[in-house]
Amino acid sequence: MTTTTTPAGVTPKTAAPVPAVRAKERRARRSTPLTIAMLAALAYFLLPLCWLLIASTKSTQDLFTSFGLWFSDAPQLLANLRETFAQDDGVFLRWLLNTVVYAAVSAVGAALLAAAGGYGFAKFRFRGDRAAFNLVLGAVMVPTTALAIPTYLVFAQAGLVNTPWAVILPSLVNPFGLYLMRIYAEDAVPDSLLEAARLDGAGEARIFFRIALRLLAPGLVTVLLFTLVATWNNYFLPLIMLNDPDLYPVTVGLASWAARAQNGGAGASSDMLALVVTGSLISIVPLVVAFLMLQRYWQSGLASGGVKQ
């Protein structure tokens, strides 16, 4: 057994307890201005939701006569919900189902296309691949509203205006999703694994669907959620593509109700504005549920796709 000795006159150093060091580091990292900024950002995002929840319990008269961030003397959330789904022979439920179909089909299709394109750019080399990827990066900078009118003209020539495809097909193109999947696939899918699969006789399609797609799942969910939210909240594209109220998504449908409430059009009721607010509250519930169910996937997808090894 060996022992260590300390030279005379030298006091041995004792390591500080690890929990104490970590607590000191946490205290050193605290910043009052950053805390205030985070609280301000939290209030900025939560106050509109609080107002929407409270306003959906009020009548149209109470919306203008009571304090915006507190309930009225006679809350009527259940009555507003019943009237929202009963207005115009229950057309709001149809709008909600239309939105679910548009957003779900667009999100799944855009995520798969972005995964296939990103995987191809990351793992294959072909003539013009850099130019094609630079074109994708350039497309990220183009606002979608600038493409709405040209898209309408193309779809009008193809006879697809006023059909669900007029909303779904443009939503399948997601340049940012393709860029994100390319960055993610470079590290998430090892080249050695692909070579081993090829040596075992697997074809490229089988490798992509059986191996690569599973490794790309976090990034895939991230693109799916981004496209889901973008399509769900899309207003301008359905507005110019659709003229049949039965095909409207929630955004365009609620806007038509709001216009009728302000102009007093046919079928407008005294509580029409309250129904618009209640419908807006209902429309955000599916998005909240989707984020809560898939948040662990899209958070890891963002972290892995944003940090390159």
Side-chain angles (χ1 to χ4, degrees):
M1 181 176 179
T2 60
T3 59
T4 57
T5 59
T6 303
V10 177
T11 303
K13 295 182 179 179
T14 57
V18 174
V21 174
R22 290 178 178 174
K24 185 177 180 180
E25 291 178 352
R26 284 196 296 269
R27 287 195 298 270
R29 287 198 299 265
R30 290 178 182 174
S31 172
T32 301
L34 286 179
T35 302
I36 295 175
M38 290 300 296
L39 291 176
L42 183 65
Y44 176 80
F45 288 107
L46 290 184
L47 277 178
L49 295 179
C50 292
W51 179 89
L52 184 62
L53 178 61
I54 295 171
S56 63
T57 67
K58 301 179 180 181
S59 63
T60 298
Q61 182 179 0
D62 290 337
L63 286 174
F64 295 99
T65 59
S66 61
F67 179 58
L69 293 178
W70 194 246
F71 300 93
S72 63
D73 296 333
Q76 55 177 42
L77 176 61
L78 294 180
N80 286 343
L81 289 174
R82 286 194 298 267
E83 293 181 18
T84 300
F85 283 103
Q87 181 71 27
D88 294 340
D89 299 325
V91 72
F92 178 78
L93 181 60
R94 185 175 185 85
W95 292 342
L96 198 61
L97 293 177
N98 289 342
T99 308
V100 171
V101 172
Y102 298 157
V105 175
S106 300
V108 173
L112 289 176
L113 289 176
Y119 170 78
F121 277 119
K123 298 302 175 181
F124 294 93
R125 293 294 173 264
F126 51 90
R127 181 177 298 178
D129 57 343
R130 290 182 179 273
F133 188 69
N134 289 334
L135 183 63
V136 172
L137 292 180
V140 173
M141 307 302 295
V142 179
T144 55
T145 53
L147 301 175
I149 300 303
T151 304
Y152 173 82
L153 296 176
V154 172
F155 276 61
Q157 293 293 328
L160 295 177
V161 172
N162 202 34
T163 67
W165 295 112
V167 178
I168 293 174
L169 289 180
S171 302
L172 296 178
V173 181
N174 190 342
F176 174 75
L178 194 152
Y179 167 75
L180 180 65
M181 292 304 299
R182 188 263 174 106
I183 300 300
Y184 186 79
E186 286 181 348
D187 294 327
V189 183
D191 293 334
S192 58
L193 184 62
L194 300 181
E195 291 298 331
R198 293 186 182 108
L199 290 176
D200 288 340
E204 295 298 337
R206 185 178 181 183
I207 292 174
F208 174 72
F209 286 104
R210 298 292 297 274
I211 299 175
L213 205 57
R214 296 183 181 183
L215 298 174
L216 295 174
L220 192 72
V221 173
T222 302
V223 177
L224 186 145
L225 278 176
F226 282 169
T227 309
L228 181 72
V229 174
T231 308
W232 190 282
N233 295 328
N234 198 352
Y235 170 74
F236 188 63
L237 180 66
L239 178 66
I240 66 173
M241 289 291 187
L242 305 175
N243 53 44
D244 184 0
D246 288 337
L247 296 177
Y248 284 171
V250 168
T251 52
V252 180
L254 291 178
S256 67
W257 275 4
R260 198 192 328 175
Q262 293 176 359
N263 300 327
S269 63
S270 59
D271 277 342
M272 182 68 75
L273 190 58
L275 303 187
V276 174
V277 175
T278 306
S280 300
L281 176 66
I282 298 171
S283 67
I284 69 173
V285 173
L287 292 182
V288 173
V289 173
F291 266 88
L292 291 178
M293 292 178 60
L294 301 173
Q295 61 177 343
R296 63 190 183 98
Y297 294 105
W298 75 267
Q299 285 175 353
S300 60
L302 276 180
S304 301
V307 179
K308 194 171 180 181
Q309 301 292 337

